[in-house]
Amino acid sequence: MLERNVSDEEMTQAMMGGITFKKAKLKTGPKEEKVKTKAKKKTYITGTHGSASARHKAEIRQRRANRHKK
């Protein structure tokens, strides 16, 4: 069995504060935000892909965003 030399300070801290065991973190790669619907795509939101309805919705969103700005 392995033994570890523990300083008095560490031992006191462990007795007074307790020991916390945490779950190991999973190794994951960089998170990528996936677009699940057409409505979340940048070209659709801004109406730049040519659809009249998308342009109209983009205008409505812009008006709503600017409504309370002074």
Side-chain angles (χ1 to χ4, degrees), residues 14-60:
M15 286 194 282
M16 300 300 282
I19 301 171
T20 304
F21 297 95
K22 296 180 181 179
K23 189 164 86 170
K25 295 180 181 179
L26 298 174
K27 293 182 180 179
T28 57
K31 293 185 178 181
E32 297 177 20
E33 293 189 28
K34 295 181 180 177
V35 177
K36 293 185 179 180
T37 61
K38 185 191 284 188
K40 291 183 181 179
K41 291 183 180 176
K42 174 71 175 159
T43 57
Y44 190 81
I45 289 173
T46 55
T48 57
H49 73 286
S51 169
S53 64
R55 276 195 298 257
H56 185 67
K57 282 184 177 183
E59 288 175 19
I60 291 170

